[in-house]
Coordinates of all heavy atoms in Angstrom, one line a residue:
R612 N 22.6 0.0 -11.5 CA 23.8 -0.2 -10.7 C 23.6 -0.9 -9.4 O 24.4 -1.7 -8.8 CB 24.5 1.2 -10.4 CG 25.4 1.6 -11.6 CD 26.2 2.9 -11.3 NE 25.4 4.1 -11.2 CZ 24.9 4.7 -12.3 NH1 25.2 4.3 -13.5 NH2 24.1 5.8 -12.2
V632 N 21.1 -3.2 -23.2 CA 22.4 -2.7 -22.6 C 22.5 -3.1 -21.2 O 21.9 -2.6 -20.3 CB 22.4 -1.1 -22.6 CG1 23.8 -0.6 -22.4 CG2 21.8 -0.6 -23.9
Y633 N 23.2 -4.3 -21.0 CA 23.4 -4.8 -19.7 C 24.8 -4.3 -19.3 O 25.8 -4.6 -19.9 CB 23.3 -6.3 -19.6 CG 23.9 -6.9 -18.4 CD1 23.2 -6.9 -17.2 CD2 25.2 -7.5 -18.5 CE1 23.8 -7.5 -16.1 CE2 25.8 -8.1 -17.3 CZ 25.0 -8.0 -16.1 OH 25.6 -8.6 -15.1
N634 N 24.9 -3.4 -18.2 CA 26.2 -2.8 -17.9 C 26.4 -2.9 -16.4 O 25.9 -2.1 -15.7 CB 26.3 -1.4 -18.5 CG 27.6 -0.8 -18.3 OD1 28.5 -1.4 -17.6 ND2 27.9 0.3 -19.0
C635 N 27.2 -3.9 -16.0 CA 27.5 -3.9 -14.5 C 28.9 -3.6 -14.3 O 29.6 -4.0 -13.3 CB 27.1 -5.3 -13.9 SG 25.4 -5.4 -13.4
S636 N 29.5 -2.7 -15.2 CA 30.9 -2.3 -14.9 C 31.0 -1.4 -13.7 O 32.0 -1.4 -13.0 CB 31.4 -1.6 -16.1 OG 30.7 -0.4 -16.3
T637 N 29.9 -0.7 -13.3 CA 29.9 0.0 -12.1 C 28.7 -0.5 -11.3 O 27.5 -0.2 -11.7 CB 29.8 1.6 -12.3 OG1 28.7 1.8 -13.1 CG2 31.1 2.1 -12.9
Ligands
NAG805 C1 29.2 0.9 -18.8 O1 29.2 1.9 -17.8 C2 30.4 2.5 -17.7 C3 30.3 3.4 -16.5 O2 29.1 4.1 -16.5 C4 30.8 3.2 -18.9 O3 32.1 3.9 -18.8 C5 30.9 2.2 -20.1 O4 31.2 2.9 -21.3 C6 29.6 1.4 -20.2 N1 29.7 0.4 -21.2 C7 28.8 0.1 -22.1 C8 29.0 -1.0 -23.0 O5 27.7 0.8 -22.2

Side-chain angles (χ1 to χ4, degrees):
R612 279 188 285 284
V632 194
Y633 163 79
N634 186 349
C635 274
S636 63
T637 52

